[in-house]
Amino acid sequence: MFKVRDNEPDYALLNDPTSQTHNRYGLTIETVREGDTRREQPLNINQDAEIGSNPNRYKQHGFYFNADNCIACHACEAACSEKNDNPAHLAFRSVGFVEGGTYPDYRRVNISMACNHCDDPVCLKGCPTRAYTKFAEYGAVLQDPDICFGCGYCTWVCPYNAPQLDPVKGQVSKCNMCVDRLEVGLKPACVSACLGKALDFGVIENVPEGRTQAKAEIPGFPRTDITHPNIRFQQQKTVQRDMVRVDSTPLKYHRDEVSGTYKPTLDPKHGFKREWNLQKLLGSHENAHVAFTLSVQAVMGAFLLLAVGAFMGIPAVIGFISSAAYIPSTVAMILLMAFGLAKLNLHLGKPHRFYRGFYNLKLSPVSREIAGVSGFFAGLMGYAFFALFDNGFADFLQTVFTVLGLAGASLGGYYMYKLYRIPARPFWNHWQTGASFAGTALTLGGLLLAGVALVFGSMTPALGATLASIAGLGLALEAIGLLVHAKDLQGAESEGAASFYEQTTTYGYSYWLRNGLLVSALLLAVGMSVTHSDSAGDFVVLTVLALAAAVIGRALFYVLVIPTTMPGAFFWKNKGFVEHARESGLADMPQLGVAYEHHHPFKVDELLETFRTTTLQEKIAQAKRIVTG
């Protein structure tokens, strides 16, 4: 157990003689009732089986932040990082701020925030490895980094940026509420270190001594309806109608005159100049997801065309199945599927722990996607294998695997879409995501079969018209989704408006290039379906146009998303500075708190430069710096 000092100051001691029965969301503050088997269980902190004597052990606790008192000294950050032995690039607690007005009437609101140990923790529901647990003790949401395999999905779904993905270790960790201190009656380390008594802690809904408010929101704090966070605020000082962020995110917070709350709106701080930024776009850390989703959706689409086409007796599909291209097409689908799965698995922080992705089938859409895609791959393998034989029993087994493949594609495809419907990421949380995924499956699936048919001389006018029509349908579906998506985001009072702004400025030319490629591919597909074209040249052009549009569009999908997270500062927790530090080499200085991503590009020319140094020790040191980032 944590050792309490003899001279521990009073402000570091928990002091909640009374508490309310329910919180502002109508939930009971008592986490488990008397007699529940979860009571009187040790937390086994450092293998210590002793049970804490805190009388409020089974009540929901939370942080209290007085924004009027915070001076942004970052003592809370330092105390937290010291206690948890965090590296410089990780911080379980962060201090950011928003500002408004001009001299002499300038106002600033500082925000110190860690994990809010929410009533409805989406990190717990989303994690495929079940690394998260909401404990009866103090209502703490705790995470085990040793179980985590580094997919980072919890960092996507959390509205408050509490889980921290370590790009060096390849695993997530976060605030643990200092439960070891709570067990012995002490407040968390961050609270004890606060110089201005801005930060406090206790049973939720209890207002600390000398405080009068217990707000759920202040300017800059993300929305609370997603998870019901256990943090309360006091902010009595009047601030301007518009409070802006000083980090690179093009957002500000505008006060609603009716409700008095602040809502995120667009702040076009970077102007309206269009740029390409193709290198940044196509060199994104999320390109493994681009490769995975495009390849798997293409294979699912091709399999669906073969299976459903055969069942419905479509002559063009029946002819393809009886042609020389049929077996090679199944081989191509298996290889493309294996490529996508390999890219995604190697993207994990701990690829050798991939099997843990099945642990949370009850709650996690990621686990369900993994199960569905795995079932589809098994069905595809069996379908392809028994296609090699020509007898009744093999046909029966192929039918069984076809059903398995269709079930896996339905389950995996649905949850591949569902896992992106994240309220904390408004740019993704739109039905257009599903339209894009389905459109990609139809378009690339049809073109995959067309490419194999052309290579093996099995293309016919009827097959060409059928596949061109399917591709055109997919392109039209995606185009309609994009139009509605753009219209909905433009006027949104959320981070989605900022994503649309980035789409039309930072990546403006890339965005319109994608749109042009998509429209050109759609017109060509319509023309080919009308004329029953089986021309290899037409299909090559269509494939190039559609594939280029798909790659650029999917890359935009990942780089444009802006989460509902708390504001940063000029350098700390500023995405713009992080990118600059990595590009310029400033990230080599650990004191700046920026680490290279685990899969950052390896620079061979820099490694060769090591051989020009004068001593063996310098060569080893420089090579180690380059390899480890």
Side-chain angles (χ1 to χ4, degrees):
M1 300 290 281
F2 193 86
K3 302 300 181 185
V4 182
R5 299 175 298 180
D6 294 334
N7 60 342
E8 202 73 54
D10 291 341
Y11 62 76
L13 304 177
L14 288 169
N15 181 26
D16 289 290
T18 61
S19 63
Q20 300 184 35
T21 58
H22 291 74
N23 66 13
R24 67 178 57 240
Y25 306 112
L27 300 175
T28 58
I29 289 177
E30 190 173 24
T31 56
V32 289
R33 295 181 178 180
E34 291 285 350
D36 194 294
T37 56
R38 287 172 289 179
R39 280 181 174 261
E40 305 306 322
Q41 297 292 327
L43 288 173
N44 292 315
I45 299 169
N46 297 324
Q47 290 74 53
D48 191 328
E50 185 178 346
I51 299 175
S53 58
N54 190 326
N56 294 316
R57 195 171 191 252
Y58 300 102
K59 293 181 180 179
Q60 178 67 59
H61 283 59
F63 290 100
Y64 184 95
F65 180 68
N66 184 354
D68 296 332
N69 281 25
C70 181
I71 60 173
C73 66
H74 298 262
C76 53
E77 281 185 19
C80 175
S81 293
E82 181 182 20
K83 181 181 183 298
N84 292 287
D85 196 24
N86 286 338
H89 58 273
L90 284 187
F92 295 164
R93 175 169 290 279
S94 297
V95 178
F97 65 91
V98 292
E99 61 182 13
T102 57
Y103 179 82
D105 190 20
Y106 163 85
R107 306 290 173 87
R108 169 170 161 170
V109 176
N110 299 312
I111 307 174
S112 174
M113 191 167 64
C115 177
N116 296 313
H117 302 275
C118 305
D119 291 334
D120 186 19
V122 288
C123 54
L124 183 152
K125 293 180 177 180
C127 176
T129 67
R130 294 179 66 184
Y132 287 84
T133 305
K134 186 167 178 66
F135 279 77
E137 292 80 9
Y138 312 103
V141 178
L142 305 184
Q143 188 262 2
D144 189 342
D146 293 332
I147 296 176
C148 171
F149 66 0
C151 71
Y153 188 66
C154 57
T155 68
W156 285 6
V157 298
C158 176
Y160 313 110
N161 195 33
Q164 300 291 300
L165 178 59
D166 189 337
V168 177
K169 290 185 177 180
Q171 65 187 28
V172 170
S173 54
K174 74 169 195 70
C175 160
N176 55 28
M177 203 191 258
C178 286
V179 289
D180 53 346
R181 292 174 59 89
L182 302 185
E183 286 285 81
V184 295
L186 295 176
K187 295 177 182 178
C190 55
V191 175
S192 299
C194 182
L195 303 180
K197 297 188 69 176
L199 200 57
D200 214 324
F201 185 85
V203 177
I204 199 64
E205 304 299 356
N206 280 5
V207 179
E209 183 180 358
R211 305 290 180 258
T212 59
Q213 295 179 335
K215 295 181 176 181
E217 300 177 17
I218 58 173
F221 185 72
R223 53 190 283 199
T224 61
D225 61 312
I226 301 174
T227 65
H228 295 166
N230 285 301
I231 184 172
R232 301 294 180 261
F233 300 98
Q234 175 164 310
Q235 188 239 320
Q236 294 179 311
K237 294 181 179 178
T238 304
V239 294
Q240 273 78 2
R241 181 178 297 154
D242 288 308
M243 300 296 288
V244 301
R245 299 172 63 136
V246 297
D247 57 15
S248 62
T249 306
L251 275 177
K252 63 182 178 181
Y253 301 91
H254 180 76
R255 185 174 64 226
D256 182 86
E257 298 302 333
V258 177
S259 65
T261 59
Y262 282 78
K263 297 180 180 180
T265 58
L266 175 65
D267 179 18
K269 61 177 66 174
H270 308 305
F272 293 92
K273 180 183 177 181
R274 288 181 186 170
E275 298 178 4
W276 284 100
N277 280 310
L278 279 173
Q279 184 176 0
K280 183 189 295 187
L281 174 66
L282 301 179
S284 166
H285 180 61
E286 304 297 347
N287 278 353
H289 289 288
V290 174
F292 168 74
T293 55
L294 290 180
S295 58
V296 171
Q297 288 160 14
V299 174
M300 284 182 173
F303 182 83
L304 185 68
L305 289 174
L306 292 178
V308 176
F311 175 78
M312 296 179 63
I314 298 175
V317 177
I318 298 297
F320 179 88
I321 292 175
S322 60
S323 72
Y326 177 51
I327 299 300
S329 71
T330 61
V331 174
M333 285 191 285
I334 290 173
L335 293 176
L336 188 56
M337 190 77 184
F339 166 75
L341 290 172
K343 287 290 291 182
L344 184 67
N345 187 63
L346 292 175
H347 184 69
L348 296 174
K350 300 175 183 176
H352 58 295
R353 304 295 188 192
F354 69 93
Y355 57 87
R356 293 178 177 172
F358 295 95
Y359 282 6
N360 197 9
L361 291 171
K362 182 179 179 180
L363 296 174
S364 174
V366 180
S367 288
R368 294 172 182 175
E369 180 213 29
I370 293 172
V373 171
S374 299
F376 169 70
F377 196 26
L380 175 63
M381 294 283 286
Y383 174 87
F385 178 75
F386 289 106
L388 300 172
F389 304 97
D390 188 16
N391 59 68
F393 185 63
D395 290 344
F396 169 74
L397 290 177
Q398 188 185 36
T399 301
V400 171
F401 279 102
T402 300
V403 173
L404 175 61
L406 289 174
S410 300
L411 182 68
Y414 173 73
Y415 281 105
M416 188 182 296
Y417 154 70
K418 192 68 175 177
L419 69 86
Y420 288 100
R421 291 302 300 266
I422 302 172
R425 297 192 168 222
F427 184 73
W428 290 348
N429 193 28
H430 193 279
W431 62 263
Q432 183 271 333
T433 298
S436 175
F437 286 4
T440 297
L442 293 173
T443 302
L444 298 188
L447 293 177
L448 173 61
L449 297 181
V452 178
L454 288 169
V455 170
F456 288 89
S458 302
M459 180 61 73
T460 64
L463 180 63
T466 300
L467 296 179
S469 298
I470 294 296
L473 178 61
L475 293 165
L477 180 61
E478 182 160 10
I480 293 171
L482 289 171
L483 285 172
V484 178
H485 188 233
K487 180 177 180 295
D488 291 344
L489 288 184
Q490 276 183 291
E493 287 187 336
S494 70
E495 288 74 8
S499 292
F500 181 80
Y501 166 75
E502 293 280 4
Q503 180 175 252
T504 54
T505 56
T506 305
Y507 301 97
Y509 288 124
S510 299
Y511 168 65
W512 285 108
L513 173 62
R514 189 278 307 272
N515 293 345
L517 291 168
L518 183 64
V519 172
S520 299
L522 175 58
L523 294 175
L524 179 58
V526 171
M528 291 172 64
S529 63
V530 171
T531 61
H532 288 64
S533 173
D534 60 353
S535 166
D538 288 347
F539 271 103
V540 168
V541 174
L542 178 59
T543 301
V544 170
L545 291 174
L547 186 59
V551 170
I552 296 174
R554 194 58 51 84
L556 285 168
F557 177 80
Y558 286 102
V559 302
L560 288 172
V561 65
I562 295 176
T564 61
T565 188
M566 65 169 281
F570 286 110
F571 301 108
W572 186 233
K573 298 294 181 180
N574 184 345
K575 180 182 177 182
F577 177 72
V578 170
E579 292 176 352
H580 170 70
R582 287 172 176 165
E583 293 170 358
S584 64
L586 286 173
D588 293 329
M589 304 169 64
Q591 62 267 38
L592 292 183
V594 178
Y596 289 106
E597 291 174 332
H598 185 60
H599 302 285
H600 71 282
F602 186 79
K603 299 181 180 180
V604 178
D605 55 339
E606 288 192 23
L607 184 60
L608 293 176
E609 184 67 23
T610 62
F611 293 98
R612 300 179 186 176
T613 55
T614 56
T615 67
L616 178 61
Q617 288 79 8
E618 288 176 340
K619 291 178 183 179
I620 294 173
Q622 190 172 355
K624 183 179 180 181
R625 176 186 64 80
I626 295 170
V627 172
T628 63

